[in-house]
Amino acid sequence: MPRIEYPTEYSVQLRWDERGLLAQYVVRSQIVGGKLNRWAVALQVRRRDGRFRDVVRYDDWHGPLHRHRAGFPPGKPDPMKPPPGVSPIRYAVGDILINADVFLAVAQKDDELEVEDDEST
């Protein structure tokens, strides 16, 4: 199955080390007919080879808002429910910012951790 393509993406840099950018979060969106069709928010960490990989991803592709975590432990996504009046995207970004230290500590211990891509159906 092909990987989901998100034509719109922006990133916010979060953490640096002596080699440069270490972590960022990325908001991806797909607009169809002027409406938001699909979105994802991911925390990305730089691997030793310099490539960035998603270690935590939030989306609503398989139903309500949920979080995919690589190695935290892996498995079924964690369902999440934003408070009334809070957009799921804003809630996902807030969860990344609150938990970034934990996610980064785990990701830096294992350079191979990466959330599997969602696939388009």
Side-chain angles (χ1 to χ4, degrees):
M1 290 188 174
R3 181 173 183 247
I4 293 173
E5 294 298 325
Y6 294 94
T8 305
E9 179 174 300
Y10 72 88
S11 63
V12 176
Q13 300 176 346
L14 291 178
R15 189 92 32 100
W16 297 263
D17 67 8
E18 64 281 351
R19 293 181 13 208
L21 184 62
L22 174 64
Q24 61 187 355
Y25 72 83
V26 178
V27 179
R28 302 175 180 124
S29 61
Q30 182 183 72
I31 309 284
V32 175
K35 292 181 68 179
L36 181 63
N37 181 54
R38 182 177 298 157
W39 62 269
V41 177
L43 174 64
Q44 295 185 325
V45 177
R46 186 187 67 228
R47 292 174 56 127
R48 286 184 198 87
D49 66 7
R51 184 176 73 84
F52 279 84
R53 85 275 193 200
D54 293 357
V55 295
V56 179
R57 186 183 61 249
Y58 305 73
D59 61 55
D60 63 353
W61 177 231
H62 318 279
L65 173 63
H66 56 275
R67 175 178 55 202
H68 300 268
R69 301 187 296 171
F72 296 100
K76 292 184 178 182
D78 302 324
M80 304 180 81
K81 185 170 178 142
V86 176
S87 80
I89 294 172
R90 185 174 298 256
Y91 189 72
V93 169
D95 193 69
I96 284 175
L97 296 176
I98 290 168
N99 295 298
D101 289 337
V102 173
F103 297 150
L104 291 171
V106 173
Q108 289 174 323
K109 286 180 186 175
D110 185 347
D111 196 52
E112 299 300 315
L113 285 181
E114 188 163 4
V115 175
E116 290 182 16
D117 283 333
D118 277 333
E119 295 179 347
S120 183
T121 55

